[in-house]
Amino acid sequence: NAGVMQNPRHLVRRRGQEARLRCSPMKGHSHVYWYRQLPEEGLKFMVYLQKENIIDESGMPKERFSAEFPKEGPSILRIQQVVRGDSAAYFCASSPQNGFGNTIYFGEGSWLTVV
Amino acid sequence: DQQVKQNSPSLSVQEGRISILNCDYTNSMFDYFLWYKKYPAEGPTFLISISSIKDKNEDGRFTVFLNKSAKHLSLHIVPSQPGDSAVYFCAAGDNYGQNFVFGPGTRLSVLP
């Protein structure tokens, strides 16, 4: 499967715990985007990363959320001290390069439930 | 402040007829637009795109029309099939697409 791979697909965390969501982009893609979909809402941009660089994090909450895309390995979205309002579907997308006319391709999503 | 709007939360169409999904945007810097289809519990699937240098792009049963002066685009599905029943998202990007902004989605139901 050469698509965008996300894991885990489903994650349950208690309030105050940490959640780590992983994303491996499509082969040959070096740009990663994270989006969040709250229940009954659309997709909200969170962060855009290239290898070892955060390019745009304007959609990230100021506290508890962080993202990285190391030189080796998947991109990680980390949520510390989770609260019930963090329960959502988190989608990762990737593109081959940053250029006009590039399409972003999504993974299947990670569903976080905070209990 | 919603930069990308899809004012119809839902749409029902008879099988075989045309489905028209609309999208409006406010940011005149947007110049590249995409449509995605999403089934429950799955990720969005790319359908079709259009850049601002065109006013129409066609791919099989899917056609996207762009009216830059009105800041409006639409997705036409002809003929509609029951498998097209899903939520459709419009997305817009500027220049080098660093941040695609998505609309809230329209739920399409194609009735047999």
Side-chain angles (χ1 to χ4, degrees):
Chain A
N1 186 347
V4 178
M5 303 298 292
Q6 289 188 248
N7 68 82
R9 288 296 312 278
H10 299 275
L11 182 63
V12 179
R13 283 288 178 264
R14 296 187 183 279
R15 281 178 294 171
Q17 290 185 319
E18 178 179 284
R20 283 196 186 198
L21 309 176
R22 287 175 290 277
C23 170
S24 296
M26 286 178 74
K27 190 175 181 180
H29 287 195
S30 58
H31 297 248
V32 165
Y33 306 75
W34 285 94
Y35 284 80
R36 174 166 68 171
Q37 185 178 27
L38 293 168
E40 304 303 320
E41 293 189 16
L43 294 158
K44 300 294 185 188
F45 169 78
M46 298 182 76
V47 63
Y48 161 49
L49 311 103
Q50 294 177 33
K51 285 281 187 183
E52 299 184 281
N53 282 308
I54 297 174
I55 306 303
D56 181 355
E57 55 181 349
S58 59
M60 287 279 271
K62 297 293 180 221
E63 297 176 347
R64 302 187 297 109
F65 285 72
S66 62
E68 62 177 7
F69 189 15
K71 188 176 179 182
E72 302 290 337
S75 174
I76 306 281
L77 178 68
R78 183 184 292 114
I79 311 171
Q80 296 177 301
Q81 299 175 323
V82 296
V83 300
R84 288 233 169 97
D86 298 333
S87 295
Y90 292 82
F91 293 98
C92 172
S94 72
S95 69
Q97 61 188 28
N98 180 245
F100 184 75
N102 269 314
T103 297
I104 61 173
Y105 297 91
F106 283 88
E108 292 296 293
S110 291
W111 269 257
L112 172 65
T113 302
V114 180
V115 297
Chain B
D1 176 27
Q2 252 187 346
Q3 295 188 75
V4 179
K5 302 175 186 180
Q6 294 177 258
N7 291 324
S8 298
S10 61
L11 174 69
S12 291
V13 168
Q14 210 67 36
E15 180 179 4
R17 306 293 289 268
I18 184 172
S19 296
I20 300 177
L21 299 119
N22 293 304
C23 178
D24 297 284
Y25 60 97
T26 57
N27 188 341
S28 57
M29 296 299 292
F30 288 147
D31 53 11
Y32 186 58
F33 306 89
L34 309 98
W35 283 94
Y36 289 83
K37 176 170 76 172
K38 186 181 181 303
Y39 295 119
E42 293 185 13
T45 302
F46 170 72
L47 281 175
I48 193 169
S49 63
I50 190 166
S51 71
S52 58
I53 59 174
K54 291 183 156 187
D55 54 18
K56 177 182 174 182
N57 189 25
E58 197 170 349
D59 184 359
R61 296 187 298 114
F62 301 92
T63 303
V64 56
F65 295 92
L66 174 62
N67 182 334
K68 261 198 99 174
S69 61
K71 296 191 181 70
H72 175 83
L73 61 156
S74 60
L75 175 68
H76 293 212
I77 308 173
V78 181
S80 301
Q81 300 172 352
D84 295 329
S85 297
V87 177
Y88 288 77
F89 291 99
C90 164
D94 59 2
N95 289 338
Y96 289 84
Q98 293 203 178
N99 170 2
F100 286 98
V101 180
F102 280 74
T106 296
R107 183 178 303 276
L108 173 66
S109 299
V110 180
L111 309 172

